Structure formats: structure tokens, C-alpha cells
Amino acid sequence: MFTGIVSAVGEVVETGAGRLGIENAQTGRHLKIGASVAVNGCCLTVVEKASSAFFMDVVPETLRRTNLGSLKVGSRVNLELPLAASGLLDGHLVQGHVDATAAVRRVAAATAGREVTFELPEHLGDFVVEKGSIAVDGVSLTVAAVDEGLATFTVALIPHTLASTIAEGYKTGSVVNLEADIVARYVARNLRR
């Protein structure tokens, strides 16, 4: 379980053949073999460590359903260590189970930060609501607006988020991982019953 509060940005040092290697000494210090780490919001298991890098096996299903398959050596990724039972829940409950990928439709400057509009996949429409939570590349964000007609949603990114995550690099066409709020998912399921 994660909170969507990115603890570091890492750099990809290895891809291919079902393997992903990331360098970030700060995160690597806290990881052991078998530990979980969220990479762009996708929960992966550490299988090897070497110096300041750590490595995960990535199965074809994960590569198909996330943006991890498009990573190249040198790509930057959001990293988050799992929530400790004694830790603070600063963001919202994030499982690290990516629901879909979506493209950035628009990036606009705001008075403080940026507003970014993303595609809203049809199967996630019931779970994304204004002022609700969503994880974008593992970052816990508040939905600022939903446009059902255009099948989009918008978030406002503060300067701290832009400086502390890979969100500063978002541009029209960037592909991100989305995870709907688990509470919204359970509420919607119970309402359907």
C-alpha cells in the first residue's frame, strides 16, 4: 500500500527482457530483496541491488497495461516506498495497481503551477469525480474538473509537485499511468448492487 506521495525521482539504467533497473541511492538504501516499490505508481518487487541501483522483474502484462514498457535508459520515474503502518497518510490510499494509461491532452500555465488535462478512459469514468482523488504516475492528486463530454479530467499541479516528480516533463501526448481511488471503486460497486 502506498499514499501517492512521491519520495524520489529515479533514473532508468536498464530495460528489456522483462527487467527494469533504476538508480536512486536514497530509495535504494531502504530497499531489500523482495521489497515493494512503486515506479510511476506501479507496485514492483525488488529482485536485485547493485550499488545505488535496484532491479525488478516486469512481466508482459505489466508492460502492456502501464507506461513502463515505453521507458528507455535515462528516463525519469517517480518512486515511492510502501506505507509503514506507523506512517502518516499524507495523500490517499494507493495500491500500486495501475488501472489504465492515458495521454495528456493539454498543459496550461496557472498562477501558481500548471493545470494538466488528461484523457479519461471510459471504464474509469464512474470513479473520477471533481474534488476526488486519483493517482497519476503514482502521484496523489485532487481532480479539479471532469468533462464527461470530452472524456477528460483536469488536475492542478503546484510548484512543489512539479519540482519533486516527473510531472514537470508532461506535454501534450505524454502517456501516464492512472489508478482510480479505491474508496470510489468500492462505493461505485456497492451502489450498483
Side-chain angles (χ1 to χ4, degrees), residues 6 102 109 147:
V6 170
D147 187 324

Side-chain angles (χ1 to χ4, degrees), residues 1-11 22-24 26-27 30 37-42 54 76-83 88-92 94 96 134-141 157-168 170 177:
M1 191 69 67
F2 303 90
T3 66
I5 303 299
V6 170
S7 52
V9 172
E11 183 176 324
I22 297 172
E23 185 166 355
N24 182 278
Q26 172 190 348
T27 302
H30 297 284
V37 61
V39 178
N40 281 358
C42 182
F54 49 95
R76 292 168 28 105
V77 293
N78 289 330
L79 301 173
E80 182 184 356
L81 296 169
L83 174 65
L88 298 174
L89 183 58
D90 286 336
H92 73 281
V94 177
I134 190 162
V136 176
D137 277 339
V139 180
S140 175
L141 297 170
L157 300 176
I158 63 172
H160 175 79
T161 302
L162 292 169
S164 302
T165 71
I166 64 171
E168 178 157 48
Y170 290 165
N177 291 330

Side-chain angles (χ1 to χ4, degrees), residues 103-110 114-119 144-145 150 152-157 167 170-174:
V104 172
R105 288 269 183 90
R106 182 177 73 89
V107 178
R114 293 184 192 149
E115 291 182 354
V116 182
T117 300
F118 301 92
E119 295 173 338
L150 294 175
T152 62
F153 72 94
T154 301
V155 299
L157 300 176
Y170 290 165
K171 58 185 182 281
T172 301
S174 295

Side-chain angles (χ1 to χ4, degrees), residues 7-172:
S7 52
V9 172
E11 183 176 324
V12 174
V13 294
E14 182 181 335
T15 63
R19 193 153 160 96
L20 179 62
I22 297 172
E23 185 166 355
N24 182 278
Q26 172 190 348
T27 302
R29 264 194 305 277
H30 297 284
L31 295 172
K32 297 178 178 164
I33 303 301
S36 294
V37 61
V39 178
N40 281 358
C42 182
C43 182
L44 299 174
T45 301
V46 175
V47 297
E48 182 184 340
K49 289 181 63 174
S51 187
S52 60
F54 49 95
F55 302 85
M56 290 79 46
D57 292 330
V58 187
V59 297
E61 171 76 358
T62 301
L63 294 173
R64 274 193 305 274
R65 291 188 175 258
T66 70
N67 63 10
L68 300 184
S70 65
L71 296 174
K72 297 175 178 24
V73 171
S75 295
R76 292 168 28 105
V77 293
N78 289 330
L79 301 173
E80 182 184 356
L81 296 169
L83 174 65
S86 61
L88 298 174
L89 183 58
D90 286 336
H92 73 281
L93 293 176
V94 177
Q95 295 182 299
H97 304 161
V98 173
D99 291 308
T101 58
V104 172
R105 288 269 183 90
R106 182 177 73 89
V107 178
T111 302
R114 293 184 192 149
E115 291 182 354
V116 182
T117 300
F118 301 92
E119 295 173 338
L120 178 56
E122 185 177 343
H123 70 284
L124 296 182
D126 288 343
F127 313 127
V128 181
V129 297
E130 187 173 327
K131 302 305 175 204
S133 296
I134 190 162
V136 176
D137 277 339
V139 180
S140 175
L141 297 170
T142 301
V143 177
V146 177
D147 187 324
E148 292 180 13
L150 294 175
T152 62
F153 72 94
T154 301
V155 299
L157 300 176
I158 63 172
H160 175 79
T161 302
L162 292 169
S164 302
T165 71
I166 64 171
E168 178 157 48
Y170 290 165
K171 58 185 182 281
T172 301

